[in-house]
Amino acid sequence: MPMTPLITATAEKLLNTFLWRDDALKSQRQRLKGKVLKVSLPEFNSPLALVFSEQQIDVLGAREDDADCTVTARLSTLAKLRDRQQLTKLIKSGELEVQGDLQVVQNFVALIDMAELDPAELLAPYIGDIAAESIGKLLRGGSSFLKKRFVRNQQYLAEALTEEWRLAPGPLEVTWFVEETEALGREVELLAKRLDRLEDK
């Protein structure tokens, strides 16, 4: 898929809204001033270039000149960078490939990690503060509801597999099976030794 002006403009608006409006993030932003981070995504034909200045982030399509750092990853991997603890793990696993100055991507991930990503901030200029906050609460409540449902469904599935459907053994059955297998192994060893002694006679 080609990198359209709509995609770059949307990415630029989102990044500037969440990362450049908060004064508390100013010192973290200063570390990126004058740097260029190129993000190459297999889902798109051309890379994105994030150009950091004191006032904003400019998001450009294809950029010919060299970047300070180039990151290659899938979109799903980039979503994991919300937590800066994931960066090293993603690089080691090969999900995230970094070329150039690693400090640039580390500073950018730290900036994202420190930012308050509140959808109400994005919606407020268009629909007003009260409506935006209501939608934000609804979205936060919805995500927590989905997490609870997921955990409950996981527990139900585990119980159904072990108790109702009898497809997976319960913990006591597994322990019993291991002990019986070990006992059988010891009996086989004893039998083999007896046979060896009989053959020697």
Side-chain angles (χ1 to χ4, degrees):
M1 184 162 91
M3 191 65 68
T4 65
L6 178 64
I7 293 170
T8 56
T10 303
E12 186 173 296
K13 175 73 175 165
L14 287 170
L15 289 169
N16 281 306
T17 298
F18 289 119
L19 304 179
W20 250 250
R21 281 178 51 191
D22 190 349
D23 287 337
L25 300 174
K26 189 172 183 179
S27 64
Q28 187 63 38
R29 289 194 300 259
Q30 286 297 317
R31 296 176 184 169
L32 289 164
K33 184 179 162 188
K35 302 290 183 184
V36 177
L37 174 64
K38 192 182 287 187
V39 181
S40 185
L41 305 164
E43 292 90 349
F44 297 98
N45 292 340
S46 58
L48 275 175
L50 307 181
V51 182
F52 302 98
S53 70
E54 193 164 339
Q55 292 78 28
Q56 66 182 33
I57 300 178
D58 292 312
V59 180
L60 309 172
R63 188 178 162 98
E64 296 301 318
D65 58 339
D66 290 332
D68 296 288
C69 179
T70 302
V71 171
T72 306
R74 303 195 80 68
L75 271 172
S76 56
T77 304
L78 291 183
K80 297 175 188 174
L81 290 178
R82 177 75 181 91
D83 174 12
R84 80 173 101 176
Q85 305 298 324
Q86 294 286 322
L87 181 62
T88 307
K89 183 178 161 188
L90 292 170
I91 293 171
K92 284 182 180 176
S93 71
E95 290 179 71
L96 188 76
E97 186 181 312
V98 180
Q99 294 175 335
D101 186 358
L102 180 61
Q103 194 69 45
V104 174
V105 75
Q106 286 174 329
N107 288 335
F108 183 60
V109 170
L111 180 64
I112 292 171
D113 190 31
M114 292 167 68
E116 297 282 330
L117 300 182
D118 185 5
E121 276 187 52
L122 193 62
L123 296 171
Y126 304 103
I127 61 173
D129 290 339
I130 295 170
E133 189 56 39
S134 299
I135 290 173
K137 281 182 182 173
L138 182 68
L139 290 173
R140 287 190 293 274
S143 68
S144 114
F145 171 75
L146 289 174
K147 282 179 193 169
K148 286 178 187 170
R149 285 291 301 254
F150 178 71
V151 169
R152 192 171 35 216
N153 285 343
Q154 260 187 325
Q155 290 170 342
Y156 169 73
L157 182 60
E159 287 172 11
L161 285 172
T162 55
E163 302 299 324
E164 293 179 32
W165 301 339
R166 306 300 294 166
L167 294 176
L172 288 175
E173 291 171 307
V174 171
T175 304
W176 174 82
F177 178 76
V178 169
E179 288 173 358
E180 289 295 308
T181 306
E182 288 172 355
L184 184 61
R186 287 191 295 271
E187 287 178 23
V188 168
E189 280 181 34
L190 288 171
L191 184 60
K193 287 177 185 174
R194 283 186 197 154
L195 286 172
D196 287 343
R197 282 197 297 264
L198 285 172
E199 284 178 3
D200 290 342
K201 291 178 182 177

